[in-house]
Amino acid sequence: MFYHLLKHVLLGPLLRLLFRPRIEGLENIPEEGAAIVAGNHLSFSDHFLMPAILRRRITFLAKAEYFTGPGLKGRLTAAFFRSAGQIPVDRSGKDAGQAALREGLGVLAKGELLGIYPEGTRSHDGRLYKGKVGVAAMALGAGVPVVPCAMLGTFEIQPPGQTLPKIRRVTIRFGAPLEFSRYEGMEGERAVLRAVTDEIMYAILNLSGQEYVDRYAAEVKAEEEEERKKARRAKR
């Protein structure tokens, strides 16, 4: 109930008024049945802008940190994500991937839309990074199509570290659904999962026009943070 209240009364109309999103390819979202919407992830605003313009409800696998933050802000954020039906996923530990896979397949088994950011984290510099194979495992395991999505302009309105977004127009672009029935029964083969994931990321790249980096975003972030620490130590 709260999801629909947010979407149609409280938040959705305000977002559409402020950001006036250009919507391209909305007809590529199936009107019924399970499907995965796989998009680039440039901003915290992505979590709200895409659901605001979709006709159907979409459930995202959200990082567990959104549900465990400290203080009043943390409690409000957790309450918001829970009320909106988003699913917390612990990304730490060796079983994190399997937990996310189970949760995602559960959503798809109910014939619903599942939203996934294959990069696994927000881009810290606006580039598109290598996708993790969980999206392919879910698509093959559930036998559902994947709709690629590109958010354009959200990095500029709210880059990492910026609390409030700038009020500027954004574009949300959906590509033609990708189907992978040719790989039926092969979701256990790593090479197949990599090939499917790369095909999905290539479709997102064509929609977004971003610079592509064939490395995981989390690895690049960690390396850059380590370089900053070394630079600070060198100045002391």
Side-chain angles (χ1 to χ4, degrees):
M1 181 184 298
F2 188 70
Y3 180 93
H4 293 288
L5 183 63
L6 280 173
K7 179 180 175 68
H8 299 294
V9 180
L10 299 178
L11 190 58
L14 179 62
L15 292 175
R16 292 192 292 272
L17 175 65
L18 292 177
F19 299 102
R20 299 174 295 120
R22 299 182 186 91
I23 306 165
E24 301 175 10
L26 190 60
E27 69 278 3
N28 289 315
I29 301 291
E31 294 183 2
E32 58 183 23
I36 295 172
V37 180
N40 60 343
H41 193 16
L42 295 168
S43 168
F44 186 72
S45 299
D46 297 341
H47 289 291
F48 311 104
L49 288 169
M50 188 205 297
I53 59 91
L54 289 178
R55 300 187 185 100
R56 295 180 60 187
R57 174 172 179 155
I58 185 168
T59 298
F60 280 90
L61 301 180
K63 64 180 182 180
E65 290 87 336
Y66 287 146
F67 299 81
T68 59
L72 178 60
K73 180 182 177 182
R75 291 195 294 273
L76 289 174
T77 301
F80 176 86
F81 276 92
R82 287 195 184 94
S83 299
Q86 308 309 288
I87 300 173
V89 174
D90 185 354
R91 299 182 299 175
S92 63
K94 64 179 181 180
D95 297 325
Q98 288 302 313
L101 185 62
R102 287 194 300 271
E103 295 287 0
L105 289 174
V107 172
L108 296 170
K110 293 185 286 187
E112 299 177 359
L113 288 181
L114 177 68
I116 297 177
Y117 301 120
E119 293 167 276
T121 186
R122 275 179 287 173
S123 173
H124 62 294
D125 57 10
R127 297 187 293 177
L128 184 70
Y129 285 84
K130 185 176 182 179
K132 297 187 175 183
V133 299
V135 61
M138 292 181 205
L140 298 185
V144 300
V146 177
V147 179
C149 171
M151 309 291 291
L152 292 87
T154 57
F155 185 83
E156 288 73 20
I157 67 169
Q158 192 180 21
Q162 182 170 313
T163 302
L164 295 176
K166 300 174 184 176
I167 306 303
R168 294 182 183 174
R169 197 168 194 186
V170 300
T171 298
I172 305 173
R173 187 176 291 158
F174 300 97
L178 306 172
E179 67 89 29
F180 301 102
S181 58
R182 62 192 183 277
Y183 296 118
E184 184 177 358
M186 303 172 69
E187 60 267 23
E189 298 187 24
R190 184 75 183 184
V192 170
L193 295 180
R194 185 73 262 161
V196 169
T197 303
D198 288 346
E199 184 174 337
I200 294 168
M201 298 309 294
Y202 183 71
I204 295 172
L205 178 64
N206 280 338
L207 292 171
S208 71
Q210 294 168 265
E211 178 184 346
Y212 180 72
V213 181
D214 193 27
R215 296 185 62 198
Y216 294 117
E219 293 178 355
V220 176
K221 283 183 184 180
E223 288 181 4
E224 292 183 1
E225 178 59 28
E226 183 60 30
E227 288 298 320
R228 285 192 290 269
K229 289 180 181 179
K230 289 181 180 178
R232 287 194 295 267
R233 288 196 294 265
K235 292 180 179 178
R236 292 174 183 172

